């Protein structure tokens, strides 16, 4: 009988820290190839259409950046949560509530039309997302309630709340009874500008800026140190005078604010109003992005682009190979498994042992 | 009227109870599998697929259990053999299950399914009031209660159950005593997967014989909350599942009677109730901590 045996490394393997996501992506490509072959397609053709073809055109690159932007912004916030051992999985709900709160100015005050509206909306969205995220955070610090379950339950509530808003109080009188709000006015949307053939709006540079800020904070500030220490050893952190409770509130508020910001920018750039569904699950996919990026800001930037390409790949195989675009979500899930499994290589050497060898080792 | 309400409460509670009983055993062995939602939804799609391709709802629920178990083994391999983070791997399992079931179920959307037969004992089932409730249910309802008693007996009265609890409470000592920590946990995770698969199959074969994408609608997460609510005691999970069933049914009846309250807020009730219950239970630290498996969520690598 053969089995896998783990041998602990004396220290973390730096090489594997960099290589493990690459290994994971490579294994995912192989997996995708097998799926294409199983469906009767040439695996290489499938891989080409899924992973590469979408980014061969300028339009594809534009789509890639558009899809990656919210994922990266949300994943940055989640990485701070996960590093500090706070399991916020309700980013999707914080995104939704943020977008609702941020939409108050153009919907309730449609005559308030001036350049202040846009930053005001973004700030309100961040505040809304942060406050919504503070619910599970406070329940955790005050009552010791499991934040994984509460933050997720609040996702369902926020989606139902949005559904009620756009069908009830905020439904547009001119919307032919469709569940939509009035269109946002010109100062409440993000317009794209031509950047070398690619049309981009403000959200992509904001995402890039956030990546840089968080990278600096994590690498060279006390706050970054505090986040990591409290995640790895709350006891050691408390000796240093850091408070686990404050960190929980901070991490949740930050990730909620970023999710709200991302949600608002998606609404402002792609939809221009509120409707029952405003996100194709960005808040959940961002969890994969955070882990694939090894909870590191630069890694998250790359991971965001990789995962965004799988959305485009899903659409590409639908049009080119008549396969289901749902394959993209499966591939994302598989990728996350491979990432988590490959991380084992950082701390352990994996050996394949046969039964006989194993027995003699015990003797 | 009351009879009808009780009957619907049973159907709403059964999938939760099946999944929660399975997860309870998993957590007692020290493993936190947050992928219940993913395993349930796989059970739902597989249950539906097997039912309409074989024409047998009974084979369908077996298929659901097998599918739940198979995907749980991916989780087991990643967290037990490769000692990956259990929380993240559980999330991966949920995302993977939701994606794969959506892909597998695409061709089933809108197709009519077959409903699992209910028990019909001549004489007994026709009894007024209690007849239908006690003797007119389908096999999964009886199985969910059998599972509660079975798991309770297994954990508290058998040697194997004692070993499982030892592994969950202190994996280092259990290993030193010569028990296979990883082996026990593999079996527990597989059992949890099969039970979640049954819960999912209940939805697509007995509750509403249809396949709808994401049809579990968070029930896997509620089942996880039930395990905490039950503080890892099987009969309490049954009480919890029926309380939640009652909340769900209450919401449907309120909608049907057109209570002047937006339906969306009523639909939030089961989720809000979960939050409230979790807060209430975590306020009572002593009861919770006493039963919490001490090694819950911690990876184990045997030092040789």
């Amino acid at each position: 009988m053969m089995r896998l045996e783990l041998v602990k490394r004396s220290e973390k393997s730096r090489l594997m820290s960099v290589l493990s996501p690459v290994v994971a992506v490579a294994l995912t490509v192989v997996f995708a190839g097998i799926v294409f072959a199983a469906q009767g397609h040439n695996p290489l053709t499938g891989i080409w259409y899924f992973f590469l073809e979408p980014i061969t055109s300028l339009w594809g690159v534009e789509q890639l950046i558009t899809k990656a932007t919210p994922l990266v912004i949300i994943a940055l916030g989640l990485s701070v949560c996960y590093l500090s051992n706070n399991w916020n999985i309700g980013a999707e709900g914080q995104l939704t509530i943020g977008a609702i709160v941020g939409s108050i100015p153009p919907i309730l005050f449609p005559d308030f039309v001036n350049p202040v509206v846009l930053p005001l909306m973004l700030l309100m969205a961040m505040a809304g997302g942060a406050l919504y995220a503070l619910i599970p955070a406070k329940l955790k610090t005050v009552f010791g309630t499991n934040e994984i379950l509460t933050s997720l339950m609040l996702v369902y509530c926020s989606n139902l709340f949005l559904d009620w808003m756009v069908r009830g109080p905020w439904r547009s009188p001119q919307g032919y009874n469709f569940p939509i709000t009035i269109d946002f006015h010109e100062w409440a949307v993000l317009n794209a500008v031509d950047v070398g053939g690619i049309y981009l709006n403000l959200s992509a540079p904001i995402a890039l800026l956030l990546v840089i800020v968080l990278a600096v904070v994590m690498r060279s500030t006390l706050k970054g140190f505090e986040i990591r220490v409290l995640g790895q050893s709350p006891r050691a952190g408390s000796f240093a005078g850091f408070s686990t409770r404050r960190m929980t509130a901070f991490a949740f508020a930050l990730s909620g604010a970023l999710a709200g910001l991302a949600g608002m920018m998606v609404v402002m750039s792609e939809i221009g109003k509120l409707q029952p569904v405003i996100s194709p699950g960005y808040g959940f996919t961002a969890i994969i992005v955070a882990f694939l990026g090894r909870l590191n800001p630069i890694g998250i930037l790359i991971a965001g682009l990789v995962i965004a390409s799988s959305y485009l790949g899903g659409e590409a195989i639908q049009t080119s190979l008549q396969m289901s675009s749902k394959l993209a979500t499966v591939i994302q899930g598989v990728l996350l498994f491979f990432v988590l499994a490959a991380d084992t290589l950082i701390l352990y050497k994996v050996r394949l042992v046969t039964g006989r060898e194993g027995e003699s080792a015990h003797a | 009227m009351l009879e009808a309400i009780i009957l619907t409460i049973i159907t709403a509670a059964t999938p939760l109870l099946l999944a929660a009983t399975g997860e309870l055993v998993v957590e007692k062995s020290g493993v936190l599998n947050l992928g219940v939602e993913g395993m349930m939804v796989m059970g739902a799609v597989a249950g539906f697929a097997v039912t309409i391709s074989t024409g047998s709802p009974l084979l369908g629920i077996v298929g659901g259990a097998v599918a739940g178990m198979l995907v749980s083994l991916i989780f087991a391999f990643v967290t037990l053999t490769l000692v990956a983070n259990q929380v993240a791997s559980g999330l991966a399992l949920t995302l993977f299950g939701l994606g794969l079931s959506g892909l597998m179920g695409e061709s089933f959307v809108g197709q009519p399914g077959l409903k699992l037969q209910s028990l019909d004992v001549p004489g007994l089932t026709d009894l007024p009031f209690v007849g239908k409730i006690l003797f007119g249910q389908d096999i999964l309802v009886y199985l969910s209660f059998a599972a509660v008693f079975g798991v309770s007996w297994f954990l508290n009265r058998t040697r194997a159950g004692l070993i499982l609890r030892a592994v969950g409470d202190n994996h280092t000592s259990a290993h030193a005593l010569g028990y296979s920590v990883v082996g026990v946990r593999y079996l527990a995770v597989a059992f949890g997967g099969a039970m979640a698969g049954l819960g999912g199959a209940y939805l697509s074969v007995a509750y509403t014989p249809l396949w709808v994408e994401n049809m579990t609608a968070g029930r896997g997460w509620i089942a996880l909350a039930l395990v905490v609510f039950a503080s890892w005691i099987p009969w309490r999970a049954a009480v919890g599942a029926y309380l939640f069933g009652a909340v769900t049914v209450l919401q449907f009846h309120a909608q049907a009677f057109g209570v002047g309250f937006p339906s969306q807020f009523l639909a939030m009730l089961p989720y809000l109730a979960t939050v409230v219950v979790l807060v209430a239970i975590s306020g009572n630290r002593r009861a919770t901590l006493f039963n919490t498996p001490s090694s819950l969520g911690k990876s184990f690598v045997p030092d040789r």
Side-chain angles (χ1 to χ4, degrees), chain B residues 172-204:
Chain B
T172 321
S173 300
H175 175 67
L177 287 170
Y179 298 119
S180 166
V181 173
V182 172
V184 168
R185 288 183 173 170
Y186 257 98
L187 291 175
V189 169
F191 175 75
M195 293 297 284
L198 281 179
Y202 184 85
L203 293 173
S204 65

Side-chain angles (χ1 to χ4, degrees), chain B residues 199-224:
Chain B
Y202 184 85
L203 293 173
S204 65
V205 181
Y207 193 59
T208 47
L210 281 173
W211 164 252
V212 184
E213 203 181 344
N214 295 352
M215 74 184 296
T216 43
R219 286 187 181 83
W221 295 102
I222 293 180
L224 275 162

Side-chain angles (χ1 to χ4, degrees), chain A residues 66-337:
Chain A
T66 310
K67 288 258 189 306
T69 301
L71 291 175
V72 169
I73 295 176
I74 301 168
L76 286 174
L78 292 180
S79 72
V80 170
C81 279
Y82 301 159
L83 280 172
S84 63
N85 225 349
N86 289 297
W87 294 94
N88 176 14
I89 58 170
E92 184 77 7
Q94 293 139 26
L95 175 157
T96 306
I97 294 296
I100 294 172
V101 174
S103 300
I104 290 173
I107 293 174
L108 291 186
F109 307 98
D111 299 325
F112 182 61
V113 180
N114 61 51
V116 180
V117 175
L118 198 144
L120 179 69
M121 287 171 72
L122 295 180
L123 286 176
M124 286 174 71
M126 290 174 76
L131 285 175
Y132 202 57
L134 278 173
I135 300 173
K138 280 290 157 198
L139 293 179
K140 179 183 179 181
T141 53
V142 176
F143 300 102
T145 310
N146 182 317
E147 76 274 23
I148 302 174
L149 295 168
T150 50
S151 64
L152 188 93
M153 289 299 137
L154 291 174
V155 174
Y156 293 99
C157 295
S158 65
N159 288 346
L160 288 163
F161 184 68
L162 172 65
D163 194 78
W164 174 68
M165 288 298 275
V166 297
R167 287 174 207 275
W170 280 9
R171 186 166 63 194
S172 164
Q174 291 95 41
Y176 302 101
N177 255 342
F178 279 111
I180 49 172
T181 65
I182 56 168
D183 288 333
F184 290 2
H185 58 72
E186 53 180 337
W187 285 106
V189 291
L190 287 169
N191 292 313
V193 289
D194 189 347
V195 187
I198 301 176
Y199 284 86
L200 291 179
N201 60 43
L202 206 59
S203 51
I206 289 179
L208 208 56
L209 184 71
L210 287 168
V211 167
I212 296 166
V213 169
L214 192 67
V216 172
V217 167
M218 290 309 293
R219 184 182 278 265
S220 31
T221 67
L222 186 62
K223 195 77 195 169
F225 179 68
E226 183 184 342
I227 292 166
R228 272 176 283 127
V229 168
L230 284 175
Q232 282 165 13
S233 168
R235 215 171 116 79
S238 71
F239 288 135
F242 300 144
S243 153
T244 321
R245 282 159 187 254
R246 272 207 306 269
M247 177 51 68
T248 299
F250 170 80
F252 267 88
L254 177 73
S255 64
L258 291 182
L261 175 71
M264 190 75 257
M265 293 201 296
V266 167
V267 169
M268 291 168 105
S269 55
E270 292 173 44
I271 312 172
K273 55 179 168 288
L274 287 182
Q275 56 192 36
V277 177
I278 53 173
S279 150
Y282 284 135
F284 292 113
T285 313
I287 299 171
I288 304 180
V289 173
F291 280 104
L292 179 62
R294 307 206 39 81
L295 307 180
N296 167 304
I298 310 289
I300 286 171
L301 179 64
I302 301 167
L305 292 166
V306 170
I307 295 288
S309 81
S310 72
Y311 275 118
L312 303 183
E315 288 161 22
I317 56 166
Q318 193 166 29
T319 47
S320 322
L321 304 176
Q322 285 76 50
M323 289 178 76
S324 169
S325 63
K326 297 216 170 74
L327 184 61
T329 27
V330 178
I331 288 185
Q332 289 169 2
V334 169
L335 176 60
L336 181 51
F337 270 125

Side-chain angles (χ1 to χ4, degrees), chain B residues 59-284:
Chain B
L59 281 179
I61 59 173
V62 174
V66 170
M69 189 190 286
L70 284 179
V71 287
S72 79
L73 288 176
I74 307 176
F75 170 86
F77 178 74
V78 173
T79 56
L80 301 177
T81 302
L82 295 177
V83 296
N85 181 310
Q86 291 181 7
V87 174
S89 305
L91 293 176
L93 182 56
T94 290
L95 295 170
F96 173 74
L98 289 172
L100 186 59
S101 63
L103 184 67
M104 284 169 61
E106 236 176 5
S107 55
F108 303 136
V109 175
Q111 275 198 44
L114 286 168
K115 196 163 160 43
L116 189 62
Q117 286 284 314
S118 296
L119 189 70
D120 191 6
V121 188
L124 287 178
T125 311
D126 305 324
L127 285 174
F129 194 68
V130 292
K132 200 108 200 305
I133 294 171
L134 290 179
F135 303 107
Q137 301 298 327
D138 56 61
I139 183 172
L140 282 175
V141 174
Y142 299 115
L143 192 68
S144 69
F145 279 98
V148 170
F149 286 110
V151 163
S152 200
W153 172 78
F154 169 79
L155 287 176
N156 298 314
R157 294 274 179 273
T158 67
R159 192 176 159 75
L162 185 65
I163 294 171
L164 183 130
R165 283 189 290 141
V167 165
D169 273 327
N170 190 333
H171 49 213
T172 321
S173 300
H175 175 67
L177 287 170
Y179 298 119
S180 166
V181 173
V182 172
V184 168
R185 288 183 173 170
Y186 257 98
L187 291 175
V189 169
F191 175 75
M195 293 297 284
L198 281 179
Y202 184 85
L203 293 173
S204 65
V205 181
Y207 193 59
T208 47
L210 281 173
W211 164 252
V212 184
E213 203 181 344
N214 295 352
M215 74 184 296
T216 43
R219 286 187 181 83
W221 295 102
I222 293 180
L224 275 162
L226 280 176
V227 178
V228 181
F229 168 82
S231 51
W232 296 271
I233 296 171
W235 67 265
R236 287 195 194 159
V239 173
Y242 274 77
L243 278 177
F244 273 94
V247 171
T248 316
V249 169
L250 188 79
Q251 159 225 326
F252 283 131
H253 282 276
Q255 282 185 25
F257 281 109
V259 176
F261 208 62
S263 64
Q264 289 93 340
F265 288 97
L266 294 169
M268 280 181 204
L269 278 178
Y271 308 112
L272 287 176
T274 307
V275 174
V276 170
V277 159
L278 283 172
V279 170
I281 210 79
S282 49
N284 186 357

